Amino acid sequence: MKLSMGPQHPVTSHFRFILDVDGDAVLNFEWDVGYTHRGIEKMAENRIYIQNIPVVERINSYCDAIGTTLGYVEVVEELTGIEIPERAKYLRVIAAELNRIASHLYAVSLVGISAGFETMLMWTINDRELILDLLVKLSGQRITYTYPTIGGVRWDMPDGFKEDALKRLDYLEKRLEDYYKMMAWNRTFQMRFKNVGILKPSDAVKLGIVGPNLRASGVKADVRKDEPYEVYDRFDFEVPTGKNGDSFDRASMRLKEIEQSIVILRQALKDIPKGPIKGSPKGSKIPPTAPRGEAYSRVESARGEFGYYLVSDGKSKPYRLKISTPSFRNLPALPHLCRNVPLGDIPVIFITFDYIPLDVDR
Amino acid sequence: MLGLSFVELIELFIKVLIFPGTLFSLLFSIIVIWFERKFLARMHLRIGPLHVGPFNRLGLFQPIADFLKLVQKEIITPSRANKFLYDLMPMLAAFLSALSIAFIPYALDPSGGYWVIFYTPLSLLVILVILTAKPFIMVGAGWAANNKYCTIGALRAAFQLLAYEIPIVLSLAGIVIATRSFDLARIVEAQSSVWFIILQPIGFIVILIAMMAELLRRPFDIPLAEQEVVFGWPTEYTGVQFALVMVAEYFDLCVTASLITILFLGGWSGPAIPLLHDISPMLSGIFWFLLKMAVITVIVIMGRGVFPRLRIDQLLESGWTVLIPLAIIQILITLATAQWWLPLIGV
C-alpha cells in the first residue's frame, strides 16, 4: 500500500514521505521535499549586502537564527576584509551558543513527542523559554534576532546580563540531569530509541551527514574545533561523540552539546573584553560594496555545518550566494535508514535527525 | 409493567437515570476528562484549562464546553466512506460501553440484594463478551472510513485488543476458580475478610496492564498514535460522532475501574464512614467503591505523563511472552495454594 505521509501530518511538518507499507512494515521510503521553497538564494541577488541578513535568517528562523546569519556575515567580511572588534567576536559566540542551546532544547522536545512522550516536550520547551529571554535581552527579539551584522554585532550586552545568564545556566545544568534521567532511566524510552536507525560511521561519512548526527555516529567533526572561526580557538571544550549511532545517541547528543555550550558560555562571559562592538567607531550606515571576487565561509550551527559561497562582481549586491544547509545534507540518511523498518520507527528516526523543512528547501 | 411493583419501578428509574446509570457515568467522564487535563498539565509544568466555569483558575467546565462545541459542529462523512457502517460505529461503541455499566453492582441494597441495574449471576461473563465486541467496532469503523491511516490504526487495534484479551481472561480465571462464580456481587462478598489483590498480586498487575492496553492508554495507545497514524481508526470522525467515540472511551475507563475495584480491591467493602453510614449503609459502600475507582483511574491516567509509546511489535511481544505466562503462573499458584486460603474467602 502506498502511504503518502505529509505534508499535512502531525509529525512530518512540511515534508512528504512516500512509503510502501505492508501492514505495519515500511518496505520502501522516498522523500518529497520542496513545500517551503522560497528562493532565498535568488532573493539575495536583488538586495544589498546588509539587507540580506534578515533574508538569510529566514532559512532557519525559529531554531538557529544566529548560526545562520553568522555564516553570512562572515562570508561578507571575508570578501570585503572588514576587521571586527574583539568584543563583537565574543558577543557573537555568546549569542550563537545561547541559540544553540535553545535549538537543541527544541530538538529534544521533538524527540520526546516523536514517541508520544509529552512530558519531555513540555519540560524542554519550558526551559527553552529561559534562554530565549536572555536572547531577548541581548537582541530584542525572541526568534529572529538579526543580531550579527557586517562588521560586528548590532547591540551590546545590557547591564546585569552576565549575572542573569550565569544564574540561568546554573539552573539549566541542573535540569539537564533530569533530561538525562528521562532518557536513560526510562526503560520504555530506551526500548523505542536504542538500536533504532543505526547509522554506521563509514555510512555517515559516505552519505555526507553533518553536525550532531555525524558526531552521534562516532565521527569527531566540528567546525568550531577543526577550523575555528570567531574566537572558538580560545575556549576549552570537548566535542562529544556517540557510540552506536542509533536514535538514542542522536537524542542524547543534543544534551551533551548543551553541556559543552554551557562550558563555552561560562568562559566567554568571563573573558569578554571591553571595547567597541562594531567595526567603524561611528557605526557604518553605508552597506559595503564588496570587491570583485569570491569567498566561502562555514560555521557550525546547531544542526551542523552551514556553508556560504559568495561571488561578487564588484557591485553593491551579491552576484551569487550559494548556501549549503545542514538539514539538506542530512537528508540522504532517511532513505538509507527507513527501509524495512516498522512504521512506528519512522517518526523516531526522522525526528532524531532534527530536520527543519525551511532549512532543506531554502 | 415488566412485572415490577411501583417502588421497584422507581428504583429502576433511579438506577438507570442517576446512579450507576446515565448521570453518574456522564459525570464520571466529565470529571475524569477534567482531572486528566489538569493533572497532566501539572506533570508537564503547565497550567491546563483555566477560564471556563466557577472558581478562578480551575477551568472546571472545560469538558462541558468542549462537548457543546463538538455537538454544534457539522457532521462530515467522507465521500468514499461506507456511510451506514461509518455512522453506526460511534453509536455502537458508546452503546456497548454504556451497556457494561448495567451489569456492575455498586453497593449493597439496603432492602436486600445489590445496587445494580440488571442483576445476573453471570455478570462477569457478560462484561467479557461485551469487551470482545470492541475490536469489531474499531475494525468496522476503520474500514468504513476508507482512509489509509484509519485502516492501519484499525488493524493495529485489532492485533492489540485480541492479544491483550487473553491475559485479561486468564487472570480472571484465577478469581473465578477461587470463588466458583461468575457473579460480581458474589466475588465482592468473597473478599469481605481479605482482598484478592493480596491473594493474587500477579493477577492484579497483569489485569491492570492488560486493561490499560485494552483502553488504548499510553504507553499502549499505538492504534491512536498521533505521530504515526494521525489518530488511528477515529481519524475521520468530527462533531458529535467524535464526541461519541470520546464518551465511549471514558465509559470504558469507568467500566474498567469498576471491574478492577470489584475483582481485586473488595468493591464496596470498607469500614463504615460515620456520617454517611447514619444516612444509609449503602452510601458508605458507594463512597469506598468510588474511592477505589479513583485510585485505579489515577494510575491509568498517569501513564500518559510518564511513558513514551511502545511500538506494536514490542507490545505484542510483551503481551504474548510476558503477560500470558504470568497469568498462567497465577492460575497455577491459585490452584496449588487454594486449599489454605479458600476458607478465608468463605468457599
Side-chain angles (χ1 to χ4, degrees):
Chain A
M1 184 168 75
K2 282 262 187 217
L3 183 65
S4 171
M5 212 169 164
Q8 296 282 326
H9 187 277
V11 82
T12 62
S13 50
H14 302 297
F15 283 99
R16 175 166 166 241
F17 303 148
I18 305 158
L19 311 176
D20 274 338
V21 179
D22 180 16
D24 221 76
V26 177
L27 304 178
N28 196 12
F29 179 100
E30 282 165 47
W31 42 254
D32 176 17
V33 297
Y35 288 92
T36 55
H37 181 70
R38 290 148 295 164
I40 280 179
E41 288 177 6
K42 190 70 191 167
M43 274 159 78
E45 291 170 18
N46 298 322
R47 280 163 177 76
I48 56 174
Y49 287 101
I50 202 151
Q51 283 178 329
N52 272 331
I53 298 172
V55 173
V56 295
E57 191 167 47
R58 263 67 190 169
I59 292 171
N60 193 344
S61 55
Y62 63 92
C63 276
D64 193 20
I66 303 259
T68 314
T69 42
L70 195 57
Y72 173 72
V73 297
E74 271 183 15
V75 78
V76 176
E77 279 157 8
E78 197 182 316
L79 196 61
T80 51
I82 296 176
E83 282 292 314
I84 72 163
E86 282 285 287
R87 188 173 175 83
K89 284 183 185 172
Y90 273 86
L91 281 171
R92 280 180 180 184
V93 168
I94 289 169
E97 292 306 315
L98 280 176
N99 207 344
R100 186 188 313 277
I101 294 176
S103 175
H104 279 343
L105 283 175
Y106 185 78
V108 172
S109 77
L110 290 185
V111 165
I113 202 65
S114 72
F117 195 9
E118 285 156 3
T119 314
M120 202 168 188
L121 171 92
M122 299 294 173
W123 285 19
T124 39
I125 283 286
N126 234 347
D127 287 344
R128 173 173 175 257
E129 215 62 31
L130 292 175
I131 303 300
L132 292 188
D133 281 352
L134 279 178
L135 284 163
V136 167
K137 284 189 175 176
L138 204 58
S139 69
Q141 300 288 335
R142 275 184 82 252
I143 48 172
T144 48
Y145 316 101
T146 325
Y147 186 64
T149 184
I150 297 162
V153 293
R154 227 166 256 277
W155 314 104
D156 204 346
M157 281 201 303
D159 292 339
F161 179 84
K162 202 165 158 184
E163 293 74 31
D164 192 18
L166 287 173
K167 213 165 73 188
R168 282 167 198 248
L169 291 179
D170 286 345
Y171 169 79
L172 192 67
E173 206 167 31
K174 260 183 243 153
R175 289 289 286 175
L176 277 182
E177 284 170 28
D178 289 348
Y179 301 147
Y180 275 127
K181 281 180 198 165
M182 252 173 165
M183 286 183 178
W185 289 15
N186 197 328
R187 213 181 127 83
T188 328
F189 188 91
Q190 293 203 321
M191 278 167 83
R192 279 311 298 277
F193 286 84
K194 276 235 159 134
N195 296 324
V196 170
I198 298 175
L199 188 61
K200 289 193 205 101
S202 54
D203 287 346
V205 172
K206 230 184 280 169
L207 291 167
I209 310 300
V210 291
N213 305 321
L214 179 64
R215 294 194 281 278
S217 289
V219 182
K220 215 168 197 160
D222 189 326
V223 183
R224 289 176 295 172
K225 275 275 187 211
D226 302 341
E227 214 175 83
Y229 52 98
E230 307 299 346
V231 283
Y232 275 112
D233 48 348
R234 297 184 201 170
F235 302 127
D236 179 27
F237 67 100
E238 283 164 22
V239 178
T241 49
K243 272 185 201 138
N244 306 320
D246 55 7
S247 295
F248 185 85
D249 274 359
R250 281 195 289 274
S252 55
M253 179 57 57
R254 263 87 203 179
L255 294 183
K256 287 179 196 162
E257 294 212 343
I258 292 175
E259 227 168 52
Q260 292 307 318
S261 287
I262 293 175
V263 169
I264 296 173
L265 274 169
R266 285 205 178 115
Q267 293 175 34
L269 285 167
K270 202 176 116 230
D271 297 345
I272 185 165
K274 290 207 165 61
I277 56 160
K278 275 185 201 163
S280 107
K282 289 177 197 163
S284 117
K285 281 187 180 171
I286 307 151
T289 41
R292 183 183 290 268
E294 56 182 42
Y296 181 77
S297 88
R298 51 186 201 150
V299 292
E300 183 77 20
S301 84
R303 266 157 203 79
E305 189 184 320
F306 244 106
Y308 283 87
Y309 176 59
L310 180 68
V311 182
S312 165
D313 55 357
K315 292 185 183 134
S316 61
K317 295 169 183 173
Y319 176 74
R320 176 84 171 95
L321 179 68
K322 175 84 184 92
I323 309 166
S324 105
T325 50
S327 288
F328 184 72
R329 291 168 74 178
N330 286 335
L331 214 46
L334 271 185
H336 179 72
L337 296 176
C338 289
R339 291 195 171 122
N340 300 317
V341 294
L343 184 60
D345 279 350
I346 295 284
V348 166
I349 296 173
F350 168 63
I351 294 281
T352 49
F353 272 94
D354 196 13
Y355 292 102
I356 295 286
L358 306 169
D359 198 1
V360 173
D361 295 336
R362 302 193 283 293
Chain B
M1 209 162 98
L2 300 167
L4 297 171
S5 73
F6 182 69
V7 178
E8 282 173 328
L9 204 64
I10 294 288
E11 213 177 77
L12 187 66
F13 268 108
I14 291 174
K15 281 172 180 168
V16 171
L17 292 180
I18 298 172
F19 183 85
T22 322
L23 189 67
F24 166 71
S25 43
L26 282 177
L27 211 62
F28 177 88
S29 312
I30 287 168
I31 292 171
V32 168
I33 291 173
W34 173 81
F35 176 78
E36 180 174 358
R37 294 186 62 176
K38 208 72 183 166
F39 181 66
L40 281 175
R42 287 290 160 202
M43 286 182 94
H44 292 164
L45 306 179
R46 288 185 290 125
I47 299 168
L50 200 62
H51 294 301
V52 191
F55 308 118
N56 199 16
R57 298 177 72 81
L58 268 183
L60 212 51
F61 289 175
Q62 187 68 48
I64 299 172
D66 288 347
F67 182 76
L68 289 177
K69 181 205 77 176
L70 283 176
V71 170
Q72 285 171 18
K73 284 177 97 170
E74 183 191 357
I75 296 175
I76 299 166
T77 313
S79 57
R80 280 192 287 173
N82 182 324
K83 301 226 166 25
F84 174 70
L85 271 181
Y86 182 82
D87 292 341
L88 177 70
M89 284 309 167
M91 286 189 268
L92 206 59
F95 168 71
L96 280 180
S97 305
L99 192 63
S100 306
I101 297 172
F103 298 95
I104 297 173
Y106 277 86
L108 276 173
D109 195 331
S111 58
Y114 307 102
W115 193 258
V116 51
I117 295 173
F118 185 83
Y119 178 77
T120 159
L122 293 175
S123 42
L124 180 56
L125 203 57
V126 175
I127 290 175
L128 281 180
V129 170
I130 294 171
L131 204 67
T132 46
K134 268 173 69 186
F136 161 71
I137 292 172
M138 291 174 185
V139 172
W143 177 81
N146 209 348
N147 172 322
K148 286 173 183 175
Y149 292 119
C150 291
T151 313
I152 295 174
L155 292 177
R156 283 177 168 198
F159 272 120
Q160 177 172 336
L161 266 57
L162 290 175
Y164 274 69
E165 252 155 38
I166 301 163
I168 289 177
V169 175
L170 281 176
S171 54
L172 291 183
I175 289 172
V176 173
I177 289 166
T179 56
R180 286 163 204 176
S181 169
F182 274 114
D183 186 353
L184 289 173
R186 172 77 197 80
I187 290 171
V188 172
E189 275 172 7
Q191 299 175 67
S192 53
S193 55
V194 56
W195 295 354
F196 278 132
I197 188 175
I198 296 159
L199 296 176
Q200 309 208 347
I202 304 175
F204 174 73
I205 292 165
V206 167
I207 205 166
L208 192 64
I209 294 170
M211 277 297 191
M212 273 175 89
E214 198 81 359
L215 288 167
L216 310 184
R217 307 293 302 197
R218 201 158 292 153
F220 307 110
D221 62 340
I222 299 155
L224 306 177
E226 191 193 349
Q227 285 74 27
E228 293 149 34
V229 289
V230 188
F231 199 57
W233 62 274
T235 301
E236 293 281 4
Y237 287 118
T238 51
V240 76
Q241 289 177 325
F242 180 71
L244 281 173
V245 172
M246 288 294 285
V247 162
E249 195 186 319
Y250 283 91
F251 277 5
D252 279 340
L253 183 57
C254 179
V255 172
T256 306
S258 310
L259 211 57
I260 296 179
T261 304
I262 285 176
L263 294 169
F264 287 94
L265 299 177
W268 54 81
S269 63
I273 307 291
L275 210 66
L276 291 174
H277 196 78
D278 294 342
I279 305 169
S280 162
M282 195 182 88
L283 287 181
S284 180
I286 288 174
F287 171 81
W288 283 113
F289 200 103
L290 294 184
L291 189 69
K292 291 164 187 173
M293 264 176 88
V295 172
I296 297 292
T297 311
V298 170
I299 292 174
V300 171
I301 285 174
M302 227 149 66
R304 241 183 99 180
V306 179
F307 296 115
R309 181 185 304 115
L310 286 170
R311 217 166 48 209
I312 187 82
D313 52 313
Q314 292 165 343
L315 174 100
L316 293 178
E317 199 187 323
S318 57
W320 289 104
T321 61
V322 180
L323 284 190
I324 291 178
L326 274 181
I328 291 172
I329 288 170
Q330 179 62 71
I331 293 178
L332 294 178
I333 293 174
T334 308
L335 287 173
T337 61
Q339 48 175 322
W340 289 295
W341 51 262
L342 273 188
L344 222 62
I345 61 170
V347 176

